[in-house]
mmCIF file of all heavy atoms in Angstrom:
data_model
loop_
_atom_site.group_PDB
_atom_site.id
_atom_site.type_symbol
_atom_site.label_atom_id
_atom_site.label_comp_id
_atom_site.label_asym_id
_atom_site.label_seq_id
_atom_site.Cartn_x
_atom_site.Cartn_y
_atom_site.Cartn_z
ATOM 1 N N LYS A 20 9.158 -221.431 77.729
ATOM 2 C CA LYS A 20 10.345 -221.966 77.044
ATOM 3 C C LYS A 20 10.521 -223.460 77.306
ATOM 4 O O LYS A 20 11.061 -224.189 76.481
ATOM 5 C CB LYS A 20 11.580 -221.192 77.545
ATOM 6 C CG LYS A 20 12.874 -221.490 76.812
ATOM 7 C CD LYS A 20 14.051 -220.795 77.526
ATOM 8 C CE LYS A 20 15.386 -221.083 76.878
ATOM 9 N NZ LYS A 20 16.515 -220.668 77.747
ATOM 10 N N GLN A 21 10.077 -223.929 78.480
ATOM 11 C CA GLN A 21 10.253 -225.344 78.841
ATOM 12 C C GLN A 21 9.140 -226.245 78.309
ATOM 13 O O GLN A 21 9.223 -227.462 78.465
ATOM 14 C CB GLN A 21 10.304 -225.487 80.368
ATOM 15 C CG GLN A 21 11.546 -224.882 81.005
ATOM 16 C CD GLN A 21 11.605 -225.164 82.494
ATOM 17 O OE1 GLN A 21 10.613 -225.049 83.195
ATOM 18 N NE2 GLN A 21 12.782 -225.549 82.970
ATOM 19 N N SER A 127 -4.052 -226.081 98.025
ATOM 20 C CA SER A 127 -5.506 -226.262 98.138
ATOM 21 C C SER A 127 -5.887 -227.659 97.673
ATOM 22 O O SER A 127 -6.689 -228.352 98.311
ATOM 23 C CB SER A 127 -6.236 -225.231 97.272
ATOM 24 O OG SER A 127 -5.575 -223.992 97.247
ATOM 25 N N THR A 257 -8.249 -244.294 110.621
ATOM 26 C CA THR A 257 -9.160 -245.231 109.968
ATOM 27 C C THR A 257 -9.361 -246.428 110.887
ATOM 28 O O THR A 257 -8.716 -246.547 111.917
ATOM 29 C CB THR A 257 -8.625 -245.742 108.614
ATOM 30 O OG1 THR A 257 -7.451 -246.533 108.852
ATOM 31 C CG2 THR A 257 -8.303 -244.595 107.669
ATOM 32 N N TRP A 259 -12.403 -249.595 112.266
ATOM 33 C CA TRP A 259 -13.761 -249.623 112.837
ATOM 34 C C TRP A 259 -13.851 -248.750 114.077
ATOM 35 O O TRP A 259 -14.837 -248.062 114.301
ATOM 36 C CB TRP A 259 -14.153 -251.067 113.162
ATOM 37 C CG TRP A 259 -15.609 -251.201 113.444
ATOM 38 C CD1 TRP A 259 -16.201 -251.477 114.640
ATOM 39 C CD2 TRP A 259 -16.679 -251.043 112.493
ATOM 40 N NE1 TRP A 259 -17.561 -251.500 114.501
ATOM 41 C CE2 TRP A 259 -17.889 -251.241 113.193
ATOM 42 C CE3 TRP A 259 -16.737 -250.758 111.123
ATOM 43 C CZ2 TRP A 259 -19.136 -251.158 112.576
ATOM 44 C CZ3 TRP A 259 -17.972 -250.669 110.508
ATOM 45 C CH2 TRP A 259 -19.152 -250.858 111.222
ATOM 46 N N GLU A 261 -11.362 -246.431 114.689
ATOM 47 C CA GLU A 261 -10.347 -245.423 114.385
ATOM 48 C C GLU A 261 -9.031 -245.738 115.095
ATOM 49 O O GLU A 261 -8.394 -244.858 115.680
ATOM 50 C CB GLU A 261 -10.880 -244.020 114.718
ATOM 51 C CG GLU A 261 -12.194 -243.753 113.987
ATOM 52 C CD GLU A 261 -12.485 -242.292 113.736
ATOM 53 O OE1 GLU A 261 -12.031 -241.442 114.513
ATOM 54 O OE2 GLU A 261 -13.156 -241.998 112.709
ATOM 55 N N SER A 264 -3.571 -244.883 112.407
ATOM 56 C CA SER A 264 -3.229 -243.495 112.060
ATOM 57 C C SER A 264 -2.520 -243.428 110.717
ATOM 58 O O SER A 264 -1.768 -244.345 110.356
ATOM 59 C CB SER A 264 -2.282 -242.908 113.114
ATOM 60 O OG SER A 264 -2.952 -242.792 114.338
ATOM 61 N N GLU A 268 1.529 -236.128 103.601
ATOM 62 C CA GLU A 268 2.282 -234.865 103.622
ATOM 63 C C GLU A 268 2.666 -234.452 102.205
ATOM 64 O O GLU A 268 3.170 -235.260 101.421
ATOM 65 C CB GLU A 268 3.551 -235.014 104.480
ATOM 66 C CG GLU A 268 4.421 -233.769 104.474
ATOM 67 C CD GLU A 268 5.521 -233.772 105.535
ATOM 68 O OE1 GLU A 268 5.438 -234.564 106.498
ATOM 69 O OE2 GLU A 268 6.463 -232.980 105.386
ATOM 70 N N SER A 270 4.913 -231.397 100.356
ATOM 71 C CA SER A 270 5.790 -230.277 100.671
ATOM 72 C C SER A 270 6.479 -229.728 99.431
ATOM 73 O O SER A 270 6.678 -230.430 98.434
ATOM 74 C CB SER A 270 6.840 -230.694 101.704
ATOM 75 O OG SER A 270 7.785 -231.565 101.134
ATOM 76 N N GLU A 278 8.787 -218.121 89.966
ATOM 77 C CA GLU A 278 8.987 -219.063 88.858
ATOM 78 C C GLU A 278 8.204 -220.357 89.064
ATOM 79 O O GLU A 278 7.689 -220.938 88.110
ATOM 80 C CB GLU A 278 10.475 -219.374 88.655
ATOM 81 C CG GLU A 278 11.220 -218.218 88.021
ATOM 82 C CD GLU A 278 12.703 -218.506 87.809
ATOM 83 O OE1 GLU A 278 13.135 -219.664 87.993
ATOM 84 O OE2 GLU A 278 13.428 -217.568 87.459
ATOM 85 N N LEU A 326 0.512 -244.208 85.390
ATOM 86 C CA LEU A 326 -0.438 -244.686 86.395
ATOM 87 C C LEU A 326 0.225 -245.765 87.256
ATOM 88 O O LEU A 326 0.141 -245.721 88.464
ATOM 89 C CB LEU A 326 -1.692 -245.240 85.708
ATOM 90 C CG LEU A 326 -2.915 -245.443 86.606
ATOM 91 C CD1 LEU A 326 -3.385 -244.168 87.250
ATOM 92 C CD2 LEU A 326 -4.076 -246.043 85.808
ATOM 93 N N LYS B 20 -18.272 -246.231 107.088
ATOM 94 C CA LYS B 20 -18.751 -245.753 108.395
ATOM 95 C C LYS B 20 -18.346 -244.297 108.637
ATOM 96 O O LYS B 20 -19.034 -243.553 109.341
ATOM 97 C CB LYS B 20 -18.155 -246.648 109.489
ATOM 98 C CG LYS B 20 -18.687 -246.402 110.900
ATOM 99 C CD LYS B 20 -17.891 -247.257 111.899
ATOM 100 C CE LYS B 20 -18.332 -247.007 113.336
ATOM 101 N NZ LYS B 20 -17.360 -247.581 114.300
ATOM 102 N N GLN B 21 -17.213 -243.868 108.069
ATOM 103 C CA GLN B 21 -16.719 -242.501 108.290
ATOM 104 C C GLN B 21 -17.323 -241.476 107.332
ATOM 105 O O GLN B 21 -17.058 -240.287 107.467
ATOM 106 C CB GLN B 21 -15.190 -242.473 108.128
ATOM 107 C CG GLN B 21 -14.446 -243.214 109.249
ATOM 108 C CD GLN B 21 -12.956 -243.060 109.129
ATOM 109 O OE1 GLN B 21 -12.404 -243.176 108.036
ATOM 110 N NE2 GLN B 21 -12.282 -242.795 110.234
ATOM 111 N N SER B 127 0.426 -241.973 91.606
ATOM 112 C CA SER B 127 0.363 -241.692 90.167
ATOM 113 C C SER B 127 -0.026 -240.235 89.939
ATOM 114 O O SER B 127 0.560 -239.530 89.107
ATOM 115 C CB SER B 127 -0.673 -242.589 89.489
ATOM 116 O OG SER B 127 -0.717 -243.866 90.063
ATOM 117 N N THR B 257 13.798 -224.416 87.015
ATOM 118 C CA THR B 257 13.114 -223.366 86.267
ATOM 119 C C THR B 257 14.092 -222.216 86.035
ATOM 120 O O THR B 257 15.210 -222.228 86.557
ATOM 121 C CB THR B 257 11.883 -222.809 87.016
ATOM 122 O OG1 THR B 257 12.341 -222.126 88.197
ATOM 123 C CG2 THR B 257 10.902 -223.900 87.392
ATOM 124 N N TRP B 259 15.328 -218.942 83.057
ATOM 125 C CA TRP B 259 15.702 -218.847 81.648
ATOM 126 C C TRP B 259 16.848 -219.799 81.321
ATOM 127 O O TRP B 259 16.879 -220.408 80.263
ATOM 128 C CB TRP B 259 16.091 -217.403 81.303
ATOM 129 C CG TRP B 259 16.185 -217.176 79.827
ATOM 130 C CD1 TRP B 259 17.313 -216.949 79.094
ATOM 131 C CD2 TRP B 259 15.097 -217.172 78.901
ATOM 132 N NE1 TRP B 259 16.999 -216.809 77.769
ATOM 133 C CE2 TRP B 259 15.647 -216.929 77.630
ATOM 134 C CE3 TRP B 259 13.701 -217.343 79.033
ATOM 135 C CZ2 TRP B 259 14.853 -216.859 76.469
ATOM 136 C CZ3 TRP B 259 12.918 -217.268 77.888
ATOM 137 C CH2 TRP B 259 13.508 -217.031 76.622
ATOM 138 N N GLU B 261 17.587 -222.334 83.523
ATOM 139 C CA GLU B 261 17.339 -223.404 84.508
ATOM 140 C C GLU B 261 18.240 -223.244 85.732
ATOM 141 O O GLU B 261 18.841 -224.200 86.219
ATOM 142 C CB GLU B 261 17.500 -224.774 83.838
ATOM 143 C CG GLU B 261 16.596 -224.881 82.603
ATOM 144 C CD GLU B 261 16.160 -226.290 82.251
ATOM 145 O OE1 GLU B 261 16.931 -227.220 82.506
ATOM 146 O OE2 GLU B 261 15.038 -226.443 81.732
ATOM 147 N N GLU B 268 7.493 -232.837 97.050
ATOM 148 C CA GLU B 268 7.502 -234.148 97.701
ATOM 149 C C GLU B 268 6.122 -234.495 98.235
ATOM 150 O O GLU B 268 5.473 -233.678 98.889
ATOM 151 C CB GLU B 268 8.528 -234.162 98.848
ATOM 152 C CG GLU B 268 8.523 -235.469 99.627
ATOM 153 C CD GLU B 268 9.714 -235.629 100.575
ATOM 154 O OE1 GLU B 268 10.725 -234.914 100.418
ATOM 155 O OE2 GLU B 268 9.614 -236.485 101.475
ATOM 156 N N SER B 270 4.345 -237.579 100.509
ATOM 157 C CA SER B 270 4.684 -238.783 101.262
ATOM 158 C C SER B 270 3.503 -239.301 102.063
ATOM 159 O O SER B 270 2.597 -238.548 102.446
ATOM 160 C CB SER B 270 5.875 -238.531 102.181
ATOM 161 O OG SER B 270 5.493 -237.706 103.249
ATOM 162 N N ASP B 274 -0.449 -246.644 108.894
ATOM 163 C CA ASP B 274 -0.511 -247.764 109.841
ATOM 164 C C ASP B 274 -1.099 -249.010 109.189
ATOM 165 O O ASP B 274 -0.727 -250.122 109.536
ATOM 166 C CB ASP B 274 -1.424 -247.397 111.029
ATOM 167 C CG ASP B 274 -0.672 -246.719 112.151
ATOM 168 O OD1 ASP B 274 0.554 -246.533 112.027
ATOM 169 O OD2 ASP B 274 -1.323 -246.371 113.161
ATOM 170 N N GLU B 278 -6.488 -250.359 104.828
ATOM 171 C CA GLU B 278 -7.484 -249.360 105.245
ATOM 172 C C GLU B 278 -7.274 -248.023 104.534
ATOM 173 O O GLU B 278 -8.231 -247.338 104.198
ATOM 174 C CB GLU B 278 -7.459 -249.154 106.765
ATOM 175 C CG GLU B 278 -8.092 -250.325 107.508
ATOM 176 C CD GLU B 278 -8.088 -250.134 109.018
ATOM 177 O OE1 GLU B 278 -7.769 -249.020 109.501
ATOM 178 O OE2 GLU B 278 -8.403 -251.110 109.719
ATOM 179 N N LEU B 326 -9.989 -223.436 99.099
ATOM 180 C CA LEU B 326 -9.076 -222.961 98.052
ATOM 181 C C LEU B 326 -8.051 -221.997 98.653
ATOM 182 O O LEU B 326 -6.880 -222.119 98.393
ATOM 183 C CB LEU B 326 -9.877 -222.272 96.946
ATOM 184 C CG LEU B 326 -9.134 -222.019 95.631
ATOM 185 C CD1 LEU B 326 -8.669 -223.307 94.985
ATOM 186 C CD2 LEU B 326 -10.021 -221.258 94.645
#
Side-chain angles (χ1 to χ4, degrees):
Chain A
K20 188 187 178 193
Q21 292 185 316
S127 324
T257 66
W259 193 249
E261 305 206 332
S264 294
E268 176 168 343
S270 71
E278 286 180 9
L326 195 60
Chain B
K20 187 186 177 193
Q21 291 185 316
S127 324
T257 66
W259 193 250
E261 305 207 328
E268 176 168 342
S270 72
D274 271 0
E278 286 181 10
L326 194 61

